[in-house]
Amino acid sequence: MPDVIVIGAGLVGLGVAYELAKRGVSVTVYDRAEPARAASWAGAGMLAPFSEEMPDAAMLALCRESLAIYPAFVDELRERTGVDARFRRDGTLHVALDGARLAELAAHAQTFRANGGEVAMLDRGDVLAREPMLAKHLAGGLFVANEAQVDNRRLGRALLAACEPLGVRVERVDGVVLECDARRVRGLRTAYGFAAAATVINAAGAWAGELDGVPQHARIPVRPVAGEMLAIAIPPTALHALVWLGHRYLVPRDDGRLLVGATVEDRGFDARVTAAGLHDLLDAALAVAPALASFAVVETWAGLRPGSHDGRPYLGATALGGYVVASGHYRNGILLTPVTARAIADLVVDGRDDVLAPFAPARGGTEPAGAVANHIA
Ligand code: GLY
């Protein structure tokens, strides 16, 4: 019998399982699909707490903490498994197509700096010196030096490989049901029978609100928010930084793929790639870098972000004893994987919940707190 069951073998679920197993906990992870897929595979791996929309100071602090521990997390996984998730701190470049937008970026620079971003305003010459592939007529940009990226698909492989020798079992099974009495979880019912566990952690991403058997008072209102993406094959090193134009972004990978993302669509469990989505993404990409027009589109895909009611994830214990939640990370699940894994392991093993109070699953409320709005768009 495992000590802990984790539902969801995405980056968050595998990260939690890995941290628990390192501390000697026996863990089984259940997923209905292949591990490290869904949003963990679909994401762009941007580690951008200053450029992403942050609903409040607690969320900003959590994201900054996770970015701070990311290099050690990736190094440790590489040392254990040989799989390098390719953490790159190449910064983020927000570009302006005209003077009015450049003035807006200059105003955003103040907020970024106040939030801890290492920022610099760039004129057209500076932008093109950094990124010669971008449009020659750009007005300028805002560079955030202390943002990074990770290859999330490689990170999934690394976590999976690191979990195995620690004894973590990853089981593929559909239709799991949480079993509990009036006060506590008892385990999980699956197609193969009943698996008992004193602790069950729901890390099921966009599906975390759908888990059968959870009593009403312990449910979390996670909703899927679709994001469509595509990849263009470009010469490796043709672009260096993450490049943003309003809500859209370009992410250059070491393997020569340039990821272009992402739409944001509240349309339920619908992960189709649509003509309108691709049109929107290519429109932005070609406005920033017209030279991309002659390169091949090599991949299109979509994922479902786990949205929460206020922009913060749901992390920690619920009103049902032994039932713990780690979901609702919305646009920042890859960024928040290391800190979520550590915080949930601290909670389960040591009963410590130092960083978790603002993210309590039962916090209620309906609106974002809105204290440190830094949304660039
Ligand atoms: N983190 C970027 C996105 O969700 O589109």
Side-chain angles (χ1 to χ4, degrees), residues 197-225:
T199 304
V200 176
I201 301 172
N202 182 347
W207 293 267
E210 311 289 304
L211 177 60
D212 285 333
V214 180
Q216 195 56 39
H217 66 282
R219 298 191 81 86
I220 46 166
V222 172
R223 68 178 205 290
V225 183

Side-chain angles (χ1 to χ4, degrees), residues 122-202:
L122 306 182
D123 63 19
R124 177 188 297 130
D126 298 332
V127 169
L128 293 176
R130 280 178 180 278
E131 304 288 0
M133 196 188 206
L134 298 185
K136 304 294 174 256
H137 59 272
L138 288 172
L142 162 61
F143 186 63
V144 189
N146 53 342
E147 292 190 322
Q149 65 152 295
V150 70
D151 185 326
N152 39 298
R153 296 182 186 178
R154 284 177 156 267
L155 183 63
R157 291 208 293 280
L159 273 170
L160 205 53
C163 279
E164 210 225 316
L166 293 170
V168 175
R169 289 167 48 119
V170 181
E171 305 274 355
R172 191 164 171 178
V173 62
D174 203 357
V176 300
V177 181
L178 189 77
E179 295 245 331
C180 55
D181 57 29
R183 290 164 173 249
R184 297 200 49 81
V185 294
R186 297 177 50 244
L188 208 60
R189 184 152 302 278
T190 78
Y192 306 118
F194 176 67
T199 304
V200 176
I201 301 172
N202 182 347

Side-chain angles (χ1 to χ4, degrees), residues 18 22 70-86 154-155 157-159 161-163 165-166:
Y18 170 66
K22 276 200 310 183
Y70 231 107
F73 184 65
V74 168
D75 286 351
E76 180 180 298
L77 290 171
R78 188 184 55 246
E79 278 154 25
R80 283 175 179 258
T81 67
V83 182
D84 183 0
R86 301 201 175 152
R154 284 177 156 267
L155 183 63
R157 291 208 293 280
L159 273 170
C163 279
L166 293 170

Side-chain angles (χ1 to χ4, degrees), residues 34-361:
E34 261 183 75
R37 298 289 291 194
S40 300
W41 183 87
M46 292 186 301
L47 309 178
F50 311 110
S51 296
E52 280 288 359
E53 185 175 1
M54 288 291 137
D56 54 40
M59 178 66 170
L60 175 64
L62 193 74
C63 288
R64 290 189 62 186
E65 172 63 12
S66 208
L67 178 57
I69 63 176
Y70 231 107
F73 184 65
V74 168
D75 286 351
E76 180 180 298
L77 290 171
R78 188 184 55 246
E79 278 154 25
R80 283 175 179 258
T81 67
V83 182
D84 183 0
R86 301 201 175 152
F87 177 89
R88 284 172 51 176
R89 201 192 302 271
D90 291 331
T92 303
L93 177 59
H94 296 268
V95 293
L97 295 178
D98 54 38
R101 181 61 182 159
L102 192 58
E104 283 174 17
L105 289 182
H108 282 302
Q110 309 299 327
T111 317
F112 279 43
R113 200 169 282 121
N115 288 347
E118 293 167 16
V119 299
M121 290 303 298
L122 306 182
D123 63 19
R124 177 188 297 130
D126 298 332
V127 169
L128 293 176
R130 280 178 180 278
E131 304 288 0
M133 196 188 206
L134 298 185
K136 304 294 174 256
H137 59 272
L138 288 172
L142 162 61
F143 186 63
V144 189
N146 53 342
E147 292 190 322
Q149 65 152 295
V150 70
D151 185 326
N152 39 298
R153 296 182 186 178
R154 284 177 156 267
L155 183 63
R157 291 208 293 280
L159 273 170
L160 205 53
C163 279
E164 210 225 316
L166 293 170
V168 175
R169 289 167 48 119
V170 181
E171 305 274 355
R172 191 164 171 178
V173 62
D174 203 357
V176 300
V177 181
L178 189 77
E179 295 245 331
C180 55
D181 57 29
R183 290 164 173 249
R184 297 200 49 81
V185 294
R186 297 177 50 244
L188 208 60
R189 184 152 302 278
T190 78
Y192 306 118
F194 176 67
T199 304
V200 176
I201 301 172
N202 182 347
W207 293 267
E210 311 289 304
L211 177 60
D212 285 333
V214 180
Q216 195 56 39
H217 66 282
R219 298 191 81 86
I220 46 166
V222 172
R223 68 178 205 290
V225 183
E228 300 183 41
M229 297 192 60
L230 60 89
I232 301 174
I234 60 169
T237 76
L239 267 179
H240 306 91
L242 311 175
V243 176
W244 285 54
L245 179 70
H247 290 287
R248 305 293 174 247
Y249 47 78
L250 312 179
V251 180
R253 287 284 199 250
D254 289 349
D255 62 7
R257 286 179 319 132
L258 178 70
L259 313 189
V260 183
T263 63
V264 179
E265 301 167 80
D266 236 316
R267 60 182 197 201
F269 289 95
D270 173 2
R272 287 174 307 139
V273 176
T274 64
L278 295 182
H279 181 272
D280 173 316
L281 298 174
L282 286 170
D283 213 32
L286 296 181
V288 176
L292 290 172
S294 60
F295 292 101
V297 173
V298 290
E299 193 184 348
T300 63
W301 68 98
L304 299 173
R305 307 174 183 88
S308 74
H309 72 281
D310 59 4
R312 286 186 236 146
Y314 303 107
L315 303 175
T318 65
L320 180 67
Y323 178 54
V324 172
V325 167
S327 183
H329 295 77
Y330 188 38
R331 295 176 62 99
N332 294 295
I334 295 162
L335 171 58
L336 289 173
T337 290
V339 83
T340 299
R342 190 180 71 185
I344 297 293
D346 286 347
L347 175 72
V348 171
V349 175
D350 304 321
R352 279 175 46 203
D353 59 359
D354 334 5
V355 300
L356 294 177
F359 310 98

